[in-house]
Amino acid sequence: MAVRVFMYAQDNRGLGHVRRCAIVAEALLRRRPDAAVLLATKSPWAPTIAAGERFDVLKLPEHLARGTLSGDERRAESSALHRLRRVLLREAVTHFRPDLILIDNEPLGFRGEMLEALDAAPAGCRFAFGMRDVVDDPERTVEQWANQGVPDALRERFDRIVIYGHPDLFDTLGVYGVPAPVRAKAAYGGYVCARRDDLDAGRFRAELGLDGRPLVLVTGGGGEDALALLVATIEAHALVRSPARLLLVTGPFMRPEDRARVVALAAPAGHVVRDQADVVAAMAASQAVATMGGYNTLAEAMMLGRRPVVVPRATHKREQLMRAEAFAARGLVHCLPPTKVTPALLAAALEDEIERPTAVEAHDYLDVDGERAAALLLETLA
């Protein structure tokens, strides 16, 4: 009997949740060729996903005229679009009639926008929550979830919780105080990443014209808040004794004025600046990696056996810092505290990796190609 899976991924200016959902969707389709997957998300990147003819994307609206609106007008538009997304999600579930609904990262959707969709699910539909290893600051997360009614929903509505992480690296259930009745539904699947059998480091380096020079990859995920890392690495490069060249990946969501600044700073030293790049291929071809603490980049680094230099996001959100510290405790990353990093500290860390590269063994922590997550999800339909 054909299986229909409805996925919801909350991504605005990032790539992580949608990329993870796409990997899991492909795994589900490999295991169940009769399945069909519909992914609903605001991410502008999602429509580019090529996961086969039994996969499609419902692009949810985010902002239509933000740049031309006043503060009150923006708030009114945001409220109107939120109501529209609730209707779209409800109608999609009503007519798609899924056997399984998988919600990523926010159990009830952004500001509860999946609640009506859950109520509209057909009889017998199973609900699953895909939980990232680190959500955010534990106290803040527990308080927010309590205010949103998440604990009751996880206990009463959801059949399965798949944690995209490994308890030996980060004890997600313990850190967030998940109660026993909910823990019974939870299972760790591992850090989701996509296998790559097509990597050719030599060809990648030749395309950049490195002529034997070491390559340092600098990437900040989607790029919306990556400017500080890229600028700091350019400044640090001047202190590195090695004749390394930087590949600076700004990301698709970096503001044009920020990208222009990166290009101007990078030009004198001949560094390469790209909006987007095959980050996994670049990582495989590089001698050192500087990045923030995003989920996907660190999972990909583990897959390649690389130890990146990590400068986590320096905001009120602690997710990246918490992940980087947990990985550093296992020797998987070189973590530099974002509030204390200097060009000299960053240069020393990069030079250490260039001259004495550290290979890490981390495959036990991984869920390559999302196979474990897919198996755990399909168990809910048995």
Side-chain angles (χ1 to χ4, degrees), residues 147-170:
N147 292 337
Q148 296 167 4
V150 169
D152 290 342
L154 292 177
R155 183 174 58 252
E156 298 168 6
R157 287 179 177 260
F158 284 82
D159 302 285
R160 170 66 85 184
I161 300 168
V162 178
I163 301 169
Y164 302 128
H166 195 288
D168 288 351
L169 282 184
F170 191 84

Side-chain angles (χ1 to χ4, degrees), residues 160-309:
R160 170 66 85 184
I161 300 168
V162 178
I163 301 169
Y164 302 128
H166 195 288
D168 288 351
L169 282 184
F170 191 84
D171 179 16
T172 305
L173 294 174
V175 168
Y176 295 103
V178 177
V182 178
R183 285 185 183 225
K185 307 176 184 181
Y188 289 88
Y191 286 83
V192 175
C193 59
R195 187 190 313 273
R196 292 290 300 272
D197 297 322
D198 61 335
L199 299 177
D200 187 336
R203 183 176 65 185
F204 191 94
R205 292 174 57 80
E207 290 174 354
L208 292 178
L210 293 174
D211 297 326
R213 295 170 63 185
L215 175 65
V216 176
L217 169 66
V218 191
T219 175
E224 188 174 35
D225 56 359
L227 177 65
L229 171 67
L230 271 62
V231 170
T233 310
I234 294 171
E235 293 173 348
H237 175 267
L239 305 176
V240 174
R241 292 188 299 271
S242 167
R245 193 176 186 189
L246 304 183
L247 170 57
L248 300 139
V249 183
T250 63
F253 303 130
M254 179 171 279
R255 290 183 292 271
E257 59 270 27
D258 290 346
R259 186 184 187 280
R261 182 181 175 192
V262 172
V263 170
L265 290 172
H271 300 312
V272 180
V273 181
R274 292 184 178 172
D275 291 341
Q276 301 183 59
D278 185 339
V279 170
V280 177
M283 197 180 297
S286 65
Q287 278 64 51
V289 178
T291 186
M292 298 165 72
Y295 179 100
N296 286 298
T297 304
L298 296 196
E300 289 159 353
M302 284 197 292
M303 179 180 67
L304 295 174
R306 304 302 306 275
R307 189 181 77 156
V309 176

